[in-house]
Amino acid sequence: AAHCLYKSDGTMKTSVEARFGVDLQQSIESSTLISHPTYDHLSGVRAHDIALVKLSAPAAVSTLPIASISPLENDLIYYHGFGSHGAPMASFFNNRKKILGGKMRIAQVSDHFLNVARDGFQTVTFRGDSGSPILIVEGGVLKVAGVVSGGSGLSGQAGDVARYVNIQETSKITFITDNLG
């Protein structure tokens, strides 16, 4: 998520550390940070809250393909994140041992977002999940359909909404393909 690459003063960070693997033990510094060209960190609007992080070294993990279609309302998605409700991020990263995940159904689809509303049985995103992938099954293969951007409430209560950036929107998929390589 692009908002993860910005400091509170609105300037972009010069680098970030990416963590990989189920236990988050592999760590690689970025070589380049690329925010979507129309993302405006200071506006608070997250319609293009997507970024790419080029790594300074190869990661020893498998990559997932990008979905060729946008999920529809009521489609099942799989989410992965490592956020923590209410915990300070420094202590969170020192104590978290596993990435959390589960499945939910899409409540609303727009060009910019895939929204999931908590229905009392499903979880929502928490602080620290931003940028994590959401996946759909397409042709029997898990593929990336979006990334965590944020939400409203995020208290784990009925009615909370988790918001994911829909990467199938034309400007986002063009941004991704133009910057890969």
Side-chain angles (χ1 to χ4, degrees):
H3 73 265
C4 297
L5 303 182
Y6 287 85
K7 302 177 198 175
S8 58
D9 67 2
T11 60
M12 187 182 268
K13 297 175 183 178
T14 56
S15 69
V16 295
E17 177 186 58
R19 295 185 182 194
F20 302 92
V22 174
D23 59 3
L24 302 175
Q25 293 302 308
Q26 184 180 7
S27 176
I28 302 173
E29 280 294 315
S30 63
S31 64
T32 308
L33 304 175
I34 309 167
S35 180
H36 190 283
T38 60
Y39 175 73
D40 180 1
H41 179 68
L42 297 176
S43 75
V45 176
R46 292 193 174 175
H48 295 99
D49 189 14
I50 188 167
L52 297 173
V53 176
K54 292 190 178 184
L55 302 175
S56 60
V61 295
S62 298
T63 58
L64 292 168
I66 295 173
S68 61
I69 57 169
S70 176
L72 303 173
E73 288 181 14
N74 209 35
D75 277 359
L76 186 65
I77 61 155
Y78 297 84
Y79 68 93
H80 302 278
F82 45 90
S84 179
H85 180 58
M89 291 309 284
S91 67
F92 159 72
F93 279 118
N94 292 330
N95 296 319
R96 181 59 67 137
K97 303 296 183 212
K98 300 275 184 198
I99 296 174
L100 301 177
K103 51 189 169 182
M104 299 181 280
R105 294 214 177 262
I106 299 289
Q108 181 184 30
V109 177
S110 72
D111 284 346
H112 297 296
F113 296 110
L114 305 168
N115 295 325
V116 177
R118 182 174 170 85
D119 64 6
F121 300 102
Q122 300 167 331
T123 58
V124 294
T125 59
F126 292 109
R127 184 174 181 225
D129 283 343
S130 294
S132 298
I134 61 161
L135 310 169
I136 61 171
V137 177
E138 186 180 287
V141 177
L142 281 172
K143 296 185 177 185
V144 179
V147 294
V148 176
S149 177
S152 64
L154 300 190
S155 61
Q157 302 299 313
D160 284 354
V161 174
R163 180 162 289 145
Y164 304 87
V165 174
N166 185 351
I167 63 172
Q168 278 68 43
E169 186 264 329
T170 303
S171 76
K172 293 179 197 79
I173 202 72
T174 299
F175 165 71
I176 293 167
T177 57
D178 285 355
N179 286 288
L180 290 179

